[in-house]
Amino acid sequence: MRLSLALVALSLALVACAPAVFRPVPELLVSSRYGLVVPDGILLARIVEGEVEITEFRFPQDSPYRPSSLEELGERLKAQLEARGFFLRCRTYNALPLFGGPQYTVRLARGPEGVGVFLRPLARPDAYRVEVSPASPNPPLDCPPR
């Protein structure tokens, strides 16, 4: 009797500790050319101007993937490119609304191929605009996005 009672108690404890059902996080593709994604992003607008891919998106308020700053989101995109073999050529970050800020720009290169990423917040909370385009692998010192 004690053994069966112990087995029932153990099985109930194991059921209570079972992990929740795994639901994959949706990923928003912000650059098909470079394979950049934003987890849990919600598309607001997508524009292609020549070779420039422009994506406007937002994060849900309760998203665990919502960045704490513009710089954090930019660093996530930069890390994705570095994982694909690109290396940093230049980076600028202006957190102040002076001189066109806040904005984040990064240029990376892989051999003769370069890429520029320009990121800025939109007026809506937790909404951003990212522009991704091919760029020279040897950017000037002021680090323009293209």
Side-chain angles (χ1 to χ4, degrees), residues 1-114:
M1 179 73 175
R2 281 187 182 168
L3 182 60
S4 64
L5 191 57
L7 286 174
V8 169
L10 179 63
S11 63
L12 288 175
L14 289 175
V15 168
C17 294
V21 176
F22 174 74
R23 287 184 223 145
V25 176
E27 292 181 334
L28 174 64
L29 184 68
V30 296
S31 173
S32 58
R33 179 182 204 128
Y34 299 102
L36 297 178
V37 295
V38 175
D40 217 11
I42 298 171
L43 181 66
L44 299 175
R46 186 178 313 252
I47 305 161
V48 177
E49 294 177 355
E51 293 186 317
V52 181
E53 296 174 284
I54 302 168
T55 306
E56 293 182 355
F57 62 94
R58 69 175 180 84
F59 289 97
Q61 287 291 326
D62 61 345
S63 174
Y65 299 97
R66 202 172 90 218
S68 61
S69 67
L70 181 67
E71 184 177 25
E72 180 184 337
L73 180 58
E75 291 296 312
R76 288 181 193 175
L77 296 172
K78 179 177 77 96
Q80 290 179 42
L81 288 166
E82 288 174 335
R84 289 172 176 80
F86 286 88
F87 62 93
L88 182 65
R89 296 296 295 166
C90 67
R91 173 189 171 278
T92 61
Y93 174 59
N94 178 10
L96 303 173
L98 304 172
F99 308 113
Q103 64 186 25
Y104 177 93
T105 305
V106 66
R107 295 274 295 267
L108 296 101
R110 177 176 61 192
E113 180 184 19

